[in-house]
Amino acid sequence: MNKNLMSLTILADTKNQAFARSVVAAFCTELNPTITELNDIKTAVSEAVTNCIVHAYENKNQDNKIVIEGIIEDQIITVKISDFGKGISNIEQAMQPFFTTKDGEERSGMGFTVMKTFMDSLEVYSELNKGTQIVMKKSIAIGDEVVNA
Amino acid sequence: MLLKNKETEDKFFISLKGEIDQHSCQKLRDHLDNVISKSNKTKIVFDFSDVGFMDSTGIGIILGRYKKFKNTKEFYIENANPTVDKILKLSGIYTIIPQI
């Protein structure tokens, strides 16, 4: 079995969004994903990180962290994104398309919908005042082998 | 997010650039509100040619502009790459802001 793993801790600040996307994308490259597969994963990561920043932490301070873990087993990438913030009181409601608790902030409410659509699976674990963990998986198709001359 | 604009006889094109996410959205929102309100054209086209990445934050921004200006402006979208187009389609935004 091909196996690899990574872990990254970032400040829950929007300036780290692009960095988080790039790190997970770079981690996936050993699976030779297509551009579409890579962009799907980057978008899902961006949605999850946004949720942590916007919803998990109501007091913006330097102690707010997000942990991003990546696991590769054969052709499957698992991405876990965890925060240690306020938690989700009603996960089922939160995952409804277009639902948002931030009315008036022009939020689309599509974060979970994007994660579910762009990845093969999505699980959400949350505990009030402890935090939330998103677990997403995607199977990367085996492409044509590139042989270097 | 740099914006470059051009005009035709009846349309005002806003060329969006770079990556649209939570980090860039506030500045983008302010820029869009500024240029849209100053344009005397009723048809506003969001050109996504140079947008390499967008998550659902961008959907919120575009929809927000539509809601804010819908009484005086018509909005259109063009040149979204396959990745950006995928999220635009998922949102259903093309039903109110069509592609040209």
Side-chain angles (χ1 to χ4, degrees):
Chain A
M1 175 188 265
N2 174 44
K3 191 163 181 175
N4 199 0
L5 60 87
M6 57 128 319
S7 184
L8 172 74
T9 300
I10 58 172
L11 193 65
D13 189 303
T14 60
K15 65 187 175 188
N16 285 322
Q17 272 192 290
F19 172 59
R21 293 194 293 265
S22 298
V23 166
V24 177
F27 180 64
C28 291
T29 55
E30 72 168 78
L31 297 178
N32 293 317
T34 62
I35 299 284
T36 301
E37 288 167 333
L38 204 57
N39 284 327
D40 284 354
I41 293 166
K42 286 173 67 177
T43 308
V45 167
S46 200
E47 301 291 349
V49 170
T50 299
N51 276 356
C52 294
I53 294 167
V54 170
H55 297 291
Y57 298 112
E58 295 199 315
N59 298 319
K60 310 297 174 196
N61 65 59
Q62 294 295 308
D63 292 329
N64 296 337
K65 300 214 174 41
I66 300 169
V67 174
I68 300 168
E69 299 167 85
I71 302 159
I72 288 174
E73 290 172 306
D74 289 331
Q75 289 300 120
I76 297 174
I77 170 86
T78 300
V79 181
K80 298 182 184 180
I81 297 178
S82 308
D83 67 67
F84 310 95
K86 71 177 197 181
I88 303 171
S89 59
N90 187 333
I91 293 175
E92 195 179 328
Q93 183 183 56
M95 292 182 75
Q96 283 175 12
F98 309 112
F99 174 81
T100 180
T101 56
K102 302 277 182 181
D103 286 328
E105 286 187 19
E106 296 184 347
R107 306 221 66 82
S108 69
M110 283 183 61
F112 281 125
T113 303
V114 172
M115 287 184 246
K116 269 196 286 192
T117 305
F118 284 38
M119 302 295 281
D120 293 338
S121 71
L122 170 68
E123 292 162 15
V124 181
Y125 305 98
S126 191
E127 195 175 332
L128 288 178
N129 301 314
K130 289 257 174 76
T132 300
Q133 183 180 73
I134 308 295
V135 181
M136 306 184 279
K137 292 180 190 277
K138 192 170 186 75
S139 178
I140 304 299
I142 297 175
D144 294 333
E145 187 177 348
V146 175
V147 179
N148 292 319
Chain B
M1 284 302 308
L2 301 177
L3 306 182
K4 198 173 65 177
N5 310 323
K6 73 175 188 204
E7 283 186 358
T8 60
E9 195 177 310
D10 65 335
K11 295 188 185 75
F12 183 67
F13 291 80
I14 303 175
S15 182
L16 309 174
K17 293 187 181 303
E19 300 189 328
I20 303 176
D21 61 11
Q22 183 64 26
H23 187 61
S24 62
C25 75
Q26 185 58 53
K27 220 178 236 185
L28 176 61
R29 179 186 292 120
D30 293 343
H31 275 302
L32 287 176
D33 283 349
N34 184 41
V35 298
I36 293 170
S37 60
K38 284 179 179 169
S39 172
N40 60 6
K41 309 294 178 190
T42 56
K43 293 182 178 168
I44 308 293
V45 182
F46 295 117
D47 181 352
F48 281 85
S49 302
D50 293 329
V51 174
F53 175 87
M54 186 174 82
D55 65 18
S56 67
T57 311
I59 302 295
I61 299 294
I62 299 299
L63 273 177
R65 280 21 309 118
Y66 169 83
K67 286 176 188 171
K68 184 167 182 173
F69 293 99
K70 65 180 180 179
N71 291 334
T72 54
K73 307 286 187 190
E74 294 169 27
F75 290 95
Y76 302 90
I77 289 172
E78 67 173 10
N79 301 327
N81 70 28
T83 304
V84 175
D85 181 60
K86 188 170 176 176
I87 200 166
L88 287 166
K89 275 200 179 100
L90 183 66
S91 72
I93 201 171
Y94 287 140
T95 57
I96 54 171
I97 304 177
Q99 287 178 283
I100 57 168

